[in-house]
Amino acid sequence: MAKSTPGDYDAVREDIKALLHQPEYDDGSAGPVLVRLAWHSAGTYDAETDTGGSNGAGMRYEAEGGDPANAGLQHARVFLEPIKAAHSWITYADLWTLAGVVAVEAMGGPAVPWQPGRTDYVDDSKLPPPGRLPDGALGADHVRAIFYRMGFNDQEIVALCGAHNLGRCHSDRSGFEGAWVNNPTRFSNQYFKLLSGVEWKEKTLENGMRQFYYIDEDSEEELMMLPTDMALWFDDKFRPYVEKYAKDKDTFFADFSKVFNKLLELGIERDASGRVTNTDNVKGGYHS
Ligand code: DDH
């Protein structure tokens, strides 16, 4: 990996793309876990107190990284270490969010607008407490409570959850098991087609976790949904968006692009030129 001049984000993008192919890992791609890293780095945001969010890359520290919801994301961070080593000028907070955006597009998804400028300063007073991320075992009320806290509406919640077209659950990480779709390294609207189009049955895993399953007729592969995924289908206000995205891939892609960018911008303040203005408000913070 060649070193780059500060600000050469295209060089970083190229190196992220080159590391996505990981024959020994999961379904052969680092993409899904990188998307999850980007989401979890940002999804701690609380609009009311203006705490959490991707600024600060707090997951490097035990207080946030040790949240059980973040189990397994060390794989994503380790994948990105050679990139940080080659392009040492980029902040972790920018690298993690950029990697998610690059992965979505490289796996066939939409281009997502991405702006740099996040800081790695950790403001202790803004560190999110554990428990800010959603719990897959719960229902629609919980999903709304989590995403309304970040400032999203019902349509945006459904669009964001379409990311479960990617990757899989690991019993040693979340306790859930399996992939949502047949081709979990290809971004599409298949998740919504399955959610709305087939019959899901409930089962309890040996570890006591409850999830939903469907045996795909062609591949005979068992696919899964979390209780929170099913909640999008069972809930009268979420369901119309599931139906819309199942029918209309282009609208899903356009909406996902917008809302993934919004997620990654939570808590980032910018001036008219796009420069981040809240990188130095380090109250009792420390520099990494
Ligand atoms: Fe998710 N997610 N997610 N998710 N998520 C898991 C995996 C992945 C929930 C729970 C889980 C989003 C929303 C929710 C991705 C992206 C996104 C796993 C499995 C659980 C559990 C973890 C493991 O065992 O390895 C819940 C609950 C919600 C919710 O909305 C209520 C959102 C919004 C995104 C996003 O990116 C915008 C991705 C990608 C994965 C696959 C990771 C992998 O390693 O593969």
Side-chain angles (χ1 to χ4, degrees), residues 26 32-33 35-36 39 134-136 143 147 160-161 163-164 166-170 173-174 176 180 226 228 256 260 263:
D26 266 9
V33 79
V35 173
R36 190 165 197 241
W39 136 237
D135 177 348
V143 174
F147 285 91
L160 274 173
C161 290
H164 280 173
L166 299 173
R168 58 175 56 251
C169 297
H170 307 76
R173 299 184 192 174
S174 60
F176 297 103
W180 290 266
L226 298 168
T228 41
F256 184 83
F260 198 52
L263 172 71

Side-chain angles (χ1 to χ4, degrees), residues 42 54 57 68 78 87 101 103 121 131 186 233 248 272:
S54 61
V78 167
H87 312 278
V101 160
Y121 280 101
R186 185 87 198 146
W233 180 245
D248 185 349

Side-chain angles (χ1 to χ4, degrees), residues 13 21 36 73 77 115 124 153 160 172 184 188 192 196 211 237 240 246 256-257 265 281:
R13 282 177 185 262
H21 181 59
R36 190 165 197 241
L73 291 180
R77 296 195 295 274
Q115 298 105 302
D124 285 345
N153 64 29
L160 274 173
D172 59 337
S188 78
F192 295 116
S196 59
Q211 66 182 52
K237 296 206 180 77
F256 184 83
S257 170
E265 286 290 309
N281 54 349

Side-chain angles (χ1 to χ4, degrees), residues 115-118 265 268-280:
Q115 298 105 302
R118 290 165 194 75
E265 286 290 309
I268 316 291
E269 290 159 25
R270 296 181 187 277
D271 64 19
S273 69
R275 225 177 58 85
V276 177
T277 53
N278 61 334
T279 55
D280 53 1

Side-chain angles (χ1 to χ4, degrees), residues 4 8 42 47 58 72 112 120 151 232 240 279:
S4 58
D8 187 357
V112 179
D120 280 347
L232 303 180
T279 55

Side-chain angles (χ1 to χ4, degrees), residues 36-37 40-41 44 53 56-75 77 96 122 127-133 173 286:
R36 190 165 197 241
L37 177 67
H40 277 210
S41 78
T44 53
M59 224 189 288
R60 288 170 297 159
Y61 305 104
E62 184 54 26
E64 189 177 335
D67 185 334
N70 286 327
L73 291 180
Q74 70 278 10
H75 293 279
R77 296 195 295 274
W96 294 351
V122 172
L127 266 181
R132 287 252 176 112
L133 293 160
R173 299 184 192 174
Y286 46 90

